[in-house]
Amino acid sequence: MANNFVSRIVVSTCLSLPLIGLTALSSLADVITISVINNSGKLMTGVYISAPDQEE
């Protein structure tokens, strides 16, 4: 009985994972392109971008 219950939980979880992924992709619907040009002659190791209303 308990083994059947665990099996159902595992199957339900595996079937719901693609739905979570599709939901996350729909939240990224507004895609923008940003170009960064480094004229400093130094190696860039990262670019950090935040929303305009964020202070940090």
Side-chain angles (χ1 to χ4, degrees):
M1 179 81 171
N3 191 18
N4 190 17
F5 178 74
V6 172
S7 296
R8 288 180 184 231
I9 295 288
V10 170
V11 170
S12 299
T13 303
C14 290
L15 291 175
S16 65
L17 287 177
L19 296 175
I20 294 169
L22 292 174
T23 304
L25 287 177
S26 67
S27 66
L28 299 174
D30 295 333
V31 177
I32 60 170
T33 302
I34 298 174
S35 298
V36 178
I37 300 171
N38 181 12
N39 289 327
S40 69
K42 297 186 181 194
L43 177 66
M44 289 178 60
T45 58
V47 176
Y48 302 96
I49 300 172
S50 60
D53 60 345
Q54 298 290 322
E55 300 225 359
E56 295 183 2

